Structures are given as C-alpha cells and as structure tokens.
Amino acid sequence: MEGVHFLVAFVLLASASTFVSASDPSPLQDFCVATNDENGIDGGMFFVFFKKIFVNGKFCKDPTLATPEDFFLSGFNNPRDPLNQVGSVVTLANDEQIPGLNTLGISIARIDYSALGGQHPPHIHSRATEILVVLEGTLRVGFVTSSPDNRLFTKELNPGDVFVFPAGLIHFQENIGSSCAVALAAFNSQNPGDIAISDAVFGSDPPIDPDVLAKAFRMDKNVVHQMQLRS
C-alpha cells in the first residue's frame, strides 16, 4: 500500500511540474495521437489510478490504432482570401488538424496577406517562439522588447528571408508590396496561443473600465468607448 501511495504522490508531483514548465513537456513515448474518445486511450499502468487522463488537453489514442493519416495534412498550399478587416488570414496546423502532432511541441501556420497593407496586427504568442519564412511578396516585420527599453527590431523581408520573434514579445507583420504575400510560421509549441493586443484590450468581455484604458493609452475616454464598441 505504501508503494501505491508513493506512486500516486510521484505522479501528482510530476503533473504539477508541467504547470511551471517554460515550454511544452517532452514526450516520453514515440507519439500520443490526440483523440477525444476516452475509449480509445492507451491503457497503460498509469490508467490504473487515473481512468480519464489528458495529455496537453487530449486523450492518447491506443498506439496500435494509429495510422499514417494521423500524421498527415493536405492542402496547405491552397491560398485563402485575406479580404477582411486586417487583411490577413491564418491557416493553423496543430493537433486539431494533425492528431499525431500532439505532445511533440511544434505547430505551423500559413499566413495569407492582402496587397498593400494586409497585416497580422500586433500580437503575442504566450507559449512559443515563432520563426517566419516569406514565400511570396514583401513584408515589413518587427517585435518590441520588454520594459524598460521597449526597443523595436524591424526588418523588410522578401521571398526566402527568415525572421524570428522571441516568445512572449509583441510582434507584427505587414505586407508592403503591391501583390498578395504568403508566409509560413513555425512554433516550438503545439498550442502557441495568439493574443491580439487590440482585441484583448478593447474587446474584452466584460469590457475593461474606459477610465483605465484612457489613462493607460493617454486617450479621451469617448474614443476608448468607441473603440470598445467596434471590437
């Protein structure tokens, strides 16, 4: 019985350590194909104590039931229409689209930008560093360092150019060319998170007190209120 108590305590301690990890935990098996079906989970000894277990929010499919399709996605070369308010559209490939990617600590996205000003507005990936490669068009990109410096690093990118955005820093991309642009972005997390600064600040639910935002952004409170209504 003492051995069982020790094992349970050890598992709980190991689970707790993942909450303070600075990056996705390293896998301890070849793969963990994501599934929402708890009847298809791997039935190892661990499940003697925990009948329902999530790994990064997903159940693990029994590895004997995995297929090549679990590690495959097609159509990533197909363009998408970026004619929206910001002029860009993101096509993400994570464990939702590729179940076999679960626990491997990576994901990728295709970004299509409209001509002359299409942008991926200032945003943050709270859990990942991003590396971007331009496939078509010309982008102006940049990131801003943390306080107290708030230093801007910016660069003009052409096809074949690569740029890195460190984890947790505000960054952006803008198409400065006369034609549509395309880039691929890779992340060292299967779920990098995407916090759009303007949407988070002015579009929160419930809204942030306009007095707070007016003071923070040195703006008239009526302007803040209008921006909240538009978000």
Side-chain angles (χ1 to χ4, degrees), residues 169-190:
L169 298 185
I170 295 174
H171 59 285
F172 63 89
Q173 302 110 35
E174 180 187 18
N175 183 5
I176 58 175
S178 58
S179 60
C180 291
V182 181
L184 288 181
F187 308 92
N188 64 332
S189 172
Q190 74 177 59

Side-chain angles (χ1 to χ4, degrees), residues 4 7-8 11 45-51:
V4 172
L7 179 58
V8 172
V11 168
M45 185 180 71
F46 190 77
F47 296 96
V48 172
F49 304 101
F50 298 89
K51 297 301 184 182

